[in-house]
Amino acid sequence: SAREGTQKPLPKKAARYRYLLLRGMLWKGVPGYMEPNLRRLRELGLDARFIDTDGAAGHGANARAVQNAVRESDKPVILIGHSKGALDALSALLAAPELQRKVSRLVALQSPYFGTGVGDAILFGLPLDPTRAMYARPFREAFLARPLSLFKAILELSRRRRAGLPDRRPNLRPGLKLYSVGTRRPGEAGDGVLTAEHAVFPGSHFALIDGPDHLDTVLGPRASAPARGRVARYAEDLTEGLLRWILQSRPTLARRGH
C-alpha cells in the first residue's frame, strides 16, 4: 500500500541526491499540482524542487529548463515526472546525452510513453469511453481556446505519434535507472487518461497500482477521493513509498510496454 513502510528510516543514500520534479500538461491550471509530492520529500529532509517547465509546450521547448536544472545541481539527480513531465525529462536527456552521467534515476509516474487516446480524440475527433471523455474535457476546452499553441504538445502525447515507438529501452546510459508507474481505476484498464500498459517505459522497472486515477497521485484531498478509498495524505504517502521502491537494489523489471 502507499502507506506501507512510511514509519521506517529512509536508506542513508536517499540524502545523496537532488530530486527534481516535473509536472504535466497544463499544470498551471491545476492548483496544488505535485505540491504534496514535493512536500513529503522535503519533510523527509531531502533536497527537492520543481523544474519550472511550460505545461502547454512541446518536449523540445522544455528541454533547456530540464538540462539547466540538471547541469546546475551539485549532487547526482533523480528526476520524477508526472504524465507529460516524464516525457519532457526523457526528451531533454536524449538531446543532451552528456548530462546523463549526472542523473541516477528517471521515474515516470503515469506517463504516456506509448501515448494516450485522449490526445487523438482532441486532435482528430476519435471517440472515447465516458471515463476518458470526462478527463479529456478540460484539455479539449483549452485546445479549442488556443489550438495553435497547444497542437504540438497534444500531438506528442497521442497514440498516433507514440503507439509505434520501438519496444526497447530508450537510448540512456546503462547505469541510469529507469522506473515507470501505471495505475488503474477500480474495474478499469487505466487511470482515466491512459491505460496502465501504455505507461510502461520499455526496459524500466515497473509498478502497477490499483485504485488511483490520474490526479490522485499528485494532488491533496479531493471531493472524489473518498469514493475511491483514498486517504487524506495519499499522494504524500505514495511519494514516500515510491522513493523507498526506487532505492531498493532489485525492484521489479517490466518486460513489455504494450
Side-chain angles (χ1 to χ4, degrees):
S1 73
R3 299 175 65 85
E4 185 175 354
T6 55
Q7 303 303 315
K8 300 177 183 177
L10 280 180
K12 290 183 179 179
K13 63 183 177 181
R16 298 175 189 168
Y17 306 103
R18 174 170 295 172
Y19 300 82
L20 297 176
L21 278 61
L22 297 96
R23 292 160 286 194
M25 185 82 183
L26 301 178
W27 63 264
K28 290 184 179 179
V30 184
Y33 195 128
M34 285 196 90
E35 289 180 5
N37 313 80
L38 181 70
R39 181 167 55 248
R40 177 56 63 89
L41 292 173
R42 288 179 170 175
E43 288 173 352
L44 292 168
L46 303 176
D47 178 0
R49 58 194 72 185
F50 287 129
I51 300 178
D52 191 19
T53 53
D54 183 349
H59 304 316
N62 283 320
R64 181 172 295 181
V66 178
Q67 292 160 1
N68 285 344
V70 172
R71 190 177 290 113
E72 292 167 3
S73 176
D74 59 357
K75 301 176 183 177
V77 166
I78 292 179
L79 293 167
I80 303 174
H82 179 251
S83 196
K84 177 183 182 297
L87 296 177
D88 286 341
L90 176 62
S91 178
L93 294 178
L94 295 177
E98 71 279 4
L99 292 178
Q100 293 182 18
R101 62 181 177 79
K102 292 194 68 176
V103 178
S104 171
R105 293 162 172 80
L106 170 58
V107 183
L109 177 58
Q110 298 166 299
S111 182
Y113 187 88
F114 289 105
T116 168
V118 168
D120 302 80
I122 292 171
L123 297 181
F124 312 117
L126 299 183
L128 289 174
D129 60 77
T131 297
R132 286 197 292 173
M134 176 185 67
Y135 282 89
R137 189 175 301 119
F139 298 105
R140 190 190 304 276
E141 292 173 352
F143 175 69
L144 293 175
R146 42 182 178 150
L148 294 180
S149 63
L150 287 176
F151 181 86
K152 183 175 183 180
I154 295 175
L155 179 64
E156 288 180 341
L157 303 178
S158 68
R159 289 282 290 159
R160 181 173 295 194
R161 174 62 64 89
R162 304 195 64 86
L165 290 178
D167 190 17
R168 62 173 179 266
R169 177 181 161 92
N171 191 24
L172 299 170
R173 67 176 180 84
L176 198 164
K177 297 179 181 179
L178 185 59
Y179 302 82
S180 48
V181 179
T183 71
R184 297 186 299 202
R185 285 164 47 101
E188 299 181 15
D191 61 19
V193 173
L194 69 150
T195 64
E197 63 180 348
H198 295 158
V200 183
F201 282 42
S204 70
H205 303 283
F206 177 60
L208 174 62
I209 303 173
D210 284 318
D213 75 358
H214 198 69
L215 291 176
D216 285 332
T217 58
V218 293
L219 291 181
R222 299 158 62 204
S224 60
R228 291 194 300 278
R230 304 278 70 81
V231 297
R233 291 171 63 87
Y234 180 80
E236 290 97 323
D237 290 345
L238 176 67
T239 301
E240 185 172 343
L242 291 178
L243 174 63
R244 295 174 183 279
W245 175 60
I246 68 171
L247 294 176
Q248 288 182 107
S249 57
R250 296 177 181 235
T252 305
L253 181 63
R255 294 183 177 179
R256 288 192 59 80
H258 66 323

